[in-house]
Amino acid sequence: MDERLDPWGSVEVADYERLMKKFGIESAVKYQKKFNDLIYFRRGIIFGHRDFGRIADAIENRKRFAMMTGMMPSGTFHLGHKMVADEIIWFQKKKADIFICAADIESYLMRDMPLDKARKIAIEEYLTNYVALGLKPENVTFWFQSDYKKEYYRLCDIAAKEVTFNELKGIYGELTNGKIISALKQVGDILHPQLKEFGGPRPVVVPVGTDQDPHLRLSRDISSRLQGFNMIPPSATYHKLMSGLQGGKMSSSKPDSYISLSGNPKTESKKVLSAKTGGRATLEEQKKLGGIPEQCVVYEMCFYHLVEDDKELEEMRSDCKSGKLLCGECKKKCSEKLEKFLAEHQKKRVEAGKIVEKILKQK
Ligand code: SF4
């Protein structure tokens, strides 16, 4: 299996242990216990990290730190994206300075997305949903790669001199002009919060799925080569990616694979009824052998998003395994939970407008 990670392609990880060994990602087990107020730590969804110790120290000892994340605006905001939004909000509650990038240039270069359309998607899909999920305007810097401050562009240019073409090839594989420009923009996105104009050197954490690790490795290497900036290599957390409704990847380009957070609650929640389950071929078999929650997308949705209470989740798992719970009833319950969540979320989206405007103004 080719385990080169491709931030612009499709990455499905079969063996996380092997991946961590290969790319030098450390286990997040000790932080899963320490920060169990975040469901993604508590349930082991955040499985790995780089230098998260610096961030843990900052949180526990009330030192300054920042969180940076980016989105490539190319389609609807779905349940798979919600994970990053929840992480942003969690870091904001832990007093991080929040930096959120709308990677519209990357979207233009790699997905052929017109800049004005990318801008609309970034605001109406991503930022509006972030606010509806709980993002506050305090300490938030939000920018478009196509429209930001000169110090950021200067940093992207200076970073270009600190890496060779062959190093880029080693990290990303076959290169195109679009990939090179996107990679260097990512370096600017990740490192610029440490420029004096943006708060100066301090620990910065970037929560990502494993597919984004190449950008982290490049940014960390360049941060230690840049002279005179005193940058601290950025930290990262790595989360497992949620499966699509039919298995495989949850992708904005496949409406059958995702639950949209901006769509009609009834239509979206109905999709659960035809999702891939870990159920058996017949009712009799399921009653006798039980289902397989580990292979079930419905269970995964509850595990990641819909069942906050650990006891309730454990009950669902054991009832499934014992054959007491059957897929029809289980899917119906999950679909109802989702519809309720989406209906409330829609109301919050309508109320989000003023805060979204405020965030856009304070760039
Ligand atoms: S009973 Fe529920 S959790 Fe178990 S396999 Fe069926 S849908 Fe999945």
Side-chain angles (χ1 to χ4, degrees), residues 170-203:
I171 295 175
Y172 294 98
E174 279 314 305
L175 293 173
T176 60
N177 291 350
K179 283 187 184 179
I180 295 173
I181 292 171
S182 298
L184 291 168
K185 280 268 176 295
Q186 287 273 349
V187 172
D189 294 329
I190 293 172
L191 297 185
H192 85 279
Q194 297 195 64
L195 294 176
K196 67 177 187 319
E197 294 81 1
F198 297 89
R202 62 204 184 289

Side-chain angles (χ1 to χ4, degrees), residues 28 187 235 334:
V187 172
S235 306
C334 176

